[in-house]
């Protein structure tokens, strides 16, 4: 956690959050209002992180209509939680990413959906007959194999 709250790591995470902009979370705090808020509260936030007392806010739920009908649900964390997610990612990703499968493309640095499609085409050209595209979005909410996770997700706020 010391590496996460290190000043230069937090600054680079902050720059990324500001660049990404985005909507406010449940607290209503916008990216443009965040810097003065952070200047007033940074010592407390840092201390809460180091002592394990920090608790993320609920995620604001937004439903976006899909072109073919239905909705896509987005969860929008607060700006502070986005900053901390970025700071954690900057520390943890270099540790864990080398262990991931070379066939994994989702949310990986330097990888995207177009590369996944290219890889699948390559496998077909090699004579492989199956390509599996797996989306776990609803799996944990509906799986009978995960009753505790289902219960946690059903009882969450936001």
């Amino acid at each position: 956690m010391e590496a996460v709250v290190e000043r230069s790591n937090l600054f680079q995470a902050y720059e990324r959050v500001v660049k990404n902009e985005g909507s406010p979370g449940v607290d209503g705090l916008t990216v443009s209002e965040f810097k003065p808020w952070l200047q007033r509260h940074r010592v407390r936030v840092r201390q809460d992180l180091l002592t394990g007392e920090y608790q993320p806010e609920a995620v604001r739920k937004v439903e976006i209509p899909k072109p073919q009908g239905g909705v896509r649900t987005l969860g929008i964390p607060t700006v502070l939680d986005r900053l901390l997610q970025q700071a954690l990612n900057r520390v943890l990703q270099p540790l864990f990413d080398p262990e991931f499968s070379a066939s994994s493309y989702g949310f990986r640095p330097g990888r995207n959906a177009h590369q996944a499609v290219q890889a699948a085409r390559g496998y077909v050209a090699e004579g492989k007959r199956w390509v599996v595209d797996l989306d776990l979005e609803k799996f944990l909410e509906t799986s009978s194999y995960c009753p505790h996770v289902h219960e946690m997700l059903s009882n969450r706020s936001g």
Side-chain angles (χ1 to χ4, degrees):
M1 193 53 74
E2 287 286 342
V4 171
V5 299
E6 196 271 323
R7 189 174 184 90
S8 68
N9 186 53
L10 287 174
F11 179 76
Q12 290 176 354
Y14 172 84
E15 296 233 312
R16 177 88 185 255
V17 168
V18 169
K19 180 181 174 190
N20 290 344
E21 297 179 1
S23 298
V26 294
D27 61 359
L29 188 69
T30 65
V31 171
S32 62
E33 298 166 331
F34 184 58
K35 186 175 184 177
W37 184 94
L38 188 58
Q39 288 170 334
R40 288 191 310 275
H41 296 94
R42 68 182 168 81
V43 173
R44 179 185 51 81
V45 170
R46 184 179 192 281
Q47 187 62 32
D48 286 352
L49 286 164
L50 290 172
T51 61
E53 299 293 316
Y54 182 80
Q55 292 292 313
E57 292 288 336
V59 174
R60 185 166 68 97
K61 179 179 169 182
V62 176
E63 292 182 340
I64 309 287
K66 290 183 177 180
Q68 292 80 20
V71 294
R72 177 176 171 233
T73 303
L74 293 179
I76 303 175
T78 64
V79 180
L80 174 60
D81 287 339
R82 293 196 306 257
L83 168 79
L84 298 176
Q85 289 169 6
Q86 287 291 332
L88 281 161
N89 186 57
R90 291 181 46 73
V91 171
L92 296 177
Q93 191 167 41
L95 300 174
F96 289 104
D97 194 65
E99 303 298 320
F100 290 164
S101 167
S103 299
S104 174
Y105 288 84
F107 303 100
R108 305 267 310 276
R111 292 174 173 249
N112 59 46
H114 298 292
Q115 292 169 323
V117 169
Q118 275 306 113
R121 285 184 179 147
Y123 296 141
V124 170
E126 292 172 4
K128 298 201 168 56
R129 297 183 57 202
W130 292 91
V131 174
V132 177
D133 177 14
L134 199 56
D135 186 347
L136 299 176
E137 178 182 4
K138 300 288 182 195
F139 175 77
L140 292 176
E141 294 178 15
T142 60
S143 175
S144 61
Y145 297 107
C146 302
H148 299 294
V149 172
H150 177 68
E151 181 182 332
M152 286 178 1
L153 293 172
S154 297
N155 294 330
R156 68 182 176 204
S157 61

